Amino acid sequence: MMNRRQIESCLPANLHSFSRQVLGYYLDGRLSTEEFRRWFHMPNSEYLMMGDCIAQIVDPDYVPEADRPHGIKTGATKKI
């Protein structure tokens, strides 16, 4: 079960309304982690690390930005 208090600790006091809406969709299961990471930071690039913090709490399979090999970007998918 996800810890909403832990998620709130990742957020600023005044989260942009668009990002709050994206977060709500993610927590409701309406967005994948990739989609959440792609859209959450759009109003403010400073939200990139906040999105990383939240994804680590919500998605046990998420690989944090700091642990990714050099050159692998958020939301990148391999095309075959």
Side-chain angles (χ1 to χ4, degrees), residues 26 36-37 40 47-56 62:
Y26 182 52
F36 168 73
R37 293 286 288 136
F40 179 75
Y47 290 4
L48 279 167
M49 295 313 294
M50 290 176 211
D52 192 54
C53 176
I54 293 165
Q56 289 177 66
Y62 177 72

Side-chain angles (χ1 to χ4, degrees), residues 17-51:
S17 60
F18 176 82
S19 295
R20 184 152 306 272
Q21 183 176 22
V22 169
L23 176 60
Y25 290 157
Y26 182 52
L27 297 179
D28 289 344
R30 295 166 47 187
L31 291 177
S32 68
T33 297
E34 280 187 18
E35 292 169 316
F36 168 73
R37 293 286 288 136
R38 182 178 302 120
W39 294 106
F40 179 75
H41 75 278
M42 285 300 168
N44 187 338
S45 62
E46 292 179 13
Y47 290 4
L48 279 167
M49 295 313 294
M50 290 176 211

